[in-house]
Amino acid sequence: MNKRPRPFQKNNNEGSFPLSIEKLKQKIRDHLHDEADLTFKQLDVQNKKIVVFYISHLVDKTSLNESLLTPLIYGQEESTASNLINNLPLGNAKQQDKVEDVCNELISGSVGIYIENEKQVTTFILLKMHQRPIEKPERESIVIGPQTSFTESIDINLNVVRSNIHSTELVAEKFTIGERLPTEVRLVYLKSLANDEDVQTMRQRLNDLKVDDIEDSSVLAQYIEDSSLSVFPQFYLTERVDRFSYGVSKGKVGVLTDGSPEGIVAPSTFFSFFESTEDVYFRWNVATFFRMLRFIAMFISFIMTPVYVAVVTFHYEVLPTNLLVTLGESRSKVPFPPIMEVLFLELIIELLREAGARLPTKVGQTIGIVGGIVLGQAAVEAGLTSNVLIIVIAMSALASFTTPSYLMGSAIRVIRYPLIILAGMFGIIGVTFGLSLLIIHLLRISSLGRPYFLPVYPFVYKDLDNALFRLPFGVGNKRALSYRLKDDMRYKEKKSTKKKDIDDLEG
Amino acid sequence: MDVNITIRPGLRVKAFYLFFIISSIQTGTGIMSTPRYIFKEAKQDAWISVIIAGLCMHLIIFVMFAILKKYKNTDIFGIQTDLFGKWISRVLGTIFIIYLFSSLVSILINYIQVVQVFIYPMLSPWLLSIMILSIVTYAVLGGLRVAVGVTFTFFILTLWLIFFLYKPMTLMDFGHFKPMFEATPMELLKGARATTYSFLGLEILFFLYPFIDNKKKAQLPTQLGIVMTTFLVLLVTFISIGFFGGDLLERSIWPVLILYKLIEYAVIERFDLIIVTQWMMVIVPNMILITWMISYGLKRMYQLPQKKAVYGVVFLLFICGGLIRDQFTIQLIIDYVAQVGFWIVFIYPFVLYPLVIIKKKMNKNRGNHS
Amino acid sequence: MKKRSLIVLMLTLLVGCAPPKQIETLGIVSSYGADLLHEDKALDNTFLYKQFDPDIPEAIQAVESQANTYEGALDTANLKTNYKLVTGQIRVKVFGKELAETGIMRVLSPHFKNAEEPASLYLLVSETTAREVLTIDTSIDLSKYLYNLIDNNQKREILPESDFFDFVHKYEDIGIDPIQPLVTIEKQKPVIESIALFQNDVYVDSLSPKQTFLVKLMTESFKAGKQEMSLSKQPFEEFIEEDEDKHKDEEFHFVLSEIRSKSKILLNDKKNLSYDVNISLDARLMELSVPLLIKDEKVLKKLEKQIEDNFKEQLQEVMDKTKELNVDPMGFGTTYNQETRNNELTEEKWREMYPNIDVNFNIDVNIIRHGIFD
């Protein structure tokens, strides 16, 4: 039906060696659409015509001269295709018998060598890497703990993951996804730990994915998620190497994508999005406190403004008299109904956040301060909003930023809007309605086939540690049971359980 | 229709959740006004009636398990088919489903009424119906596992409501219990019967049994669930008697909500409002489970697709929820549900049990002969 | 799925939202006063309400109306204000003495039907008209003032527990009558003068604060009470250092503080209606108007004995007064009802019986401390 030739369809008839050098040149040029930086270097070595060709901006010239050209020209033995592989001090040699494949190698930074009348072209990878060095994580910053983040190169990423998880059990299966622009994707997991079913599901989803190209890990995640209608992210995307390897070392499945500084960790539960690796580095009691704080913050961030709207619009009775006076006085100057007032102010906050994120860091900070202080003050003075609301909004905005995962934080901010509207229409019962719906939604969705609301439902009481709070390391010697890993024990021995008395005389 | 059914492992539910299922399905709108009805019968000894009712329920659960254990893996429909044959069992099953539907209606309209009285006198009942029913539909469409999940989560989320009863507890007057043991046994039994409406819901066991994963462990959580509901009803009855005393309790339509009304905090002055809204999270699991039961029953008996059944039930509910508004009609429906429920839920198992035993014996004899 | 959600959404929008009550559009009634209009027994009502209008400096406004019912009064009052009057925050209800004498339940009954009003609410009887109490001083928030006036005094255990629910209880229960604070106006401010005694919901007479203490002593337990007392000097002559006594007073005064008490009303004889009231009271001697030297336990015992006798005498007086009025604020009737089985006590029956009851007081006073100096 489709008569238009699809450019990425392979044409198998092309490229039958041997060829004359001129013809080869012509073919490669045609194939690469007259790439300007395509360089051919013709040599005569031991009476044989040899042509070396490469794309100059992709190739490391020093290596080219030292390791390829020098031995080639001054080499003693006869130049044949097989001798080339043996004599040149370079790994990654491949022999290609199709011009098509040769060109694919060229664009990934290879140098091709063709000896006239041979049957194959030999290629060597001499890619010049222009990479951003490993930097500190910027989007998920923490105070203590390792400070490395992924870069855009999958080689470097795999390198750091491997050096973090020093085990022969670490498997990094390779997939190529994208039919027009293929991208390398790696499925990383611990063979002896990860649940086979999870690995198989992920493998299946990656294999089944048929798209023209994937721009980023986050795009890949959206393609392979369980429920794409949901607001909630179902896979954890992280730029932190330690977070990624923490997940993998606990038996989860990781996915790395070439060209993306973020790794996917799956399956993830709702509660894991409030978990920061810092919680592991902190002492257990402090970590528990912070974890709880984050849950409370989440709750505040989506309940505060709707409740304000509900109370001010419908339920004056609920307020204690003194608070009622304060609220009433601040409301009395505002010309809009509460819901408009709240939406207006929420909009300002969102604009500030968006502007701050888009602008260069220094300008962004200024905008934040100017917006926060000046605008808020001015809005109150102009009688556009009540001063109580400023506090409420600021608090809920602040609370939404405590979520370690940026995706989850954004999801929570978005959920707030329907809740505000429900509150404005039906009062507190609307809020309860919204919350109920939300909880049921969370109960319905899954992550890589595992329930999203684990370990609360299905209730696995031993997994509450590390999900809702953190206990001392001595207490839990098991991994999360709900993922059905191959090995549940983290370490065999429990700490001695013998109770000690005060001033044990014989101890 | 097959007597025994097989359920794939992915659909099964752990026996542990029976505790939450039983105590959630039993606590609905009924508990808000139960103390009053028991008090009408047994006066200040009403709390004894609650204990009697609780003990009876333990017995009923026991009998229900005894019946169910006679079969490999079946529900009430399977048992009825086995005992009475295809047609009578269909009639009985349909009665069951009509009863379930009317109890669903009673929950919905009762809650709507409470919301209208306590929060929004002017709110349209249609609107509340839509809200509640959309939650119910959304959850039931997720299947039994989601239904159980909602039950469990909402149970945990509403548990805190109990703790706030401590305030009215401090205001109790223990003189109201005197003279103790004045009620005659007949009055006590009548009082126990008055608890029916708030204790309905045990029948879910007859529906859910095939879905239970580890059946050997199912009895304990179920009995504990009964203990939990009995405790709750006992608690509110006890506090209501202590707090209100005689005539006032008989006159209060929702004594439990008035108890909550007394609670005041620096941040929230009117607790009854919070309670009434939170109560949505109490009745929703209730309605979800019953809707599931109805849809499952229709599927079992008439091979109706469960999805269609759910939409049908919800639509009918919506109509009923919007149309029935008058306080007396609501009371009438509640009384009717309590009456019918008493026979279906509490008496029926005792009828069924001997029949099952006889049938099994007959089968055995026949087996021996041939 | 999408289609269905859309239908639900449409339906919701068709049915519409809940009717809003934005706080800035409300006149939030904080107290209510009712008096009797003489001509036609209608009610003369006063509402104090709070409104939030930046142009009106006085936050509290009063509005008056005449009607036969409470809700009717609210509607008529609504005609006189540009705010929607709502009663969800009402804290105080004041009843003029004249109205109280005809019974206040007619004004309180809407409370049973309307869930909007709060449960914690104080009821007051005013010596003057309720309107006067509520409008005497417009410079302060009188609702707050009255609420705190009662609240503080109840917390300090000067007044017995008496709020709306307490009133309704005692009104509904047979064999006990409510008591509520009675206010009057002194120096342009409402003050608590005494305690109003009700027979059912009809105001009958009042008790002085001192007698109130005794009622509270019989019915409730003190946790940190305080009471001033006077005793005759005569039995203590030998212990009083005469030189400093300049007044030729027959009595000396002292204060019992940190009173912890417990009381129990026991029905001894059901036929003859004889009661025992056992009261035990621990207290600290706080202030003495004369230099009474407490050297040993004997003095203290003597003092305790005198206090006990004094209490008995006063308690008997209170009993006589209530018997005469035929009001039972102590709830001897409920005790009777609770102790006798299968005996439906009716209102009329108890009113006949009450004047004939015989109460015997057993008081055990124990002074556990008497200060820093002897």
Side-chain angles (χ1 to χ4, degrees), chain A residues 229 311-322 324-325 327-329 331-334 336-338 425-426, chain C residues 1-2 12-13 16-24 26 28 50 52-54 59 86-89 91 116 144:
Chain A
L229 283 176
V311 166
V312 172
T313 322
F314 297 100
H315 314 291
Y316 71 97
E317 311 99 307
V318 190
L319 293 168
T321 319
N322 294 334
L324 179 81
V325 174
L327 262 180
E329 274 166 6
R331 271 290 305 159
S332 64
K333 294 168 202 135
V334 183
F336 319 116
M425 283 171 81
F426 316 116
Chain C
M1 194 69 202
K2 257 184 199 161
T12 320
L13 289 177
C17 331
K21 285 187 273 183
Q22 293 170 21
I23 36 178
E24 67 272 16
L26 302 177
I28 294 159
K50 219 176 270 159
F52 307 104
D53 190 335
V86 286
T87 53
Q89 288 265 355
R91 290 287 166 197
E116 198 188 346
K144 207 168 160 184

Side-chain angles (χ1 to χ4, degrees), chain A residues 411-438:
Chain A
I412 286 174
R413 269 201 306 283
V414 172
I415 293 166
R416 210 157 49 191
Y417 290 93
L419 279 178
I420 290 173
I421 292 168
L422 278 172
M425 283 171 81
F426 316 116
I428 201 113
I429 218 154
V431 180
T432 321
F433 165 73
L435 284 181
S436 305
L437 219 54
L438 197 70

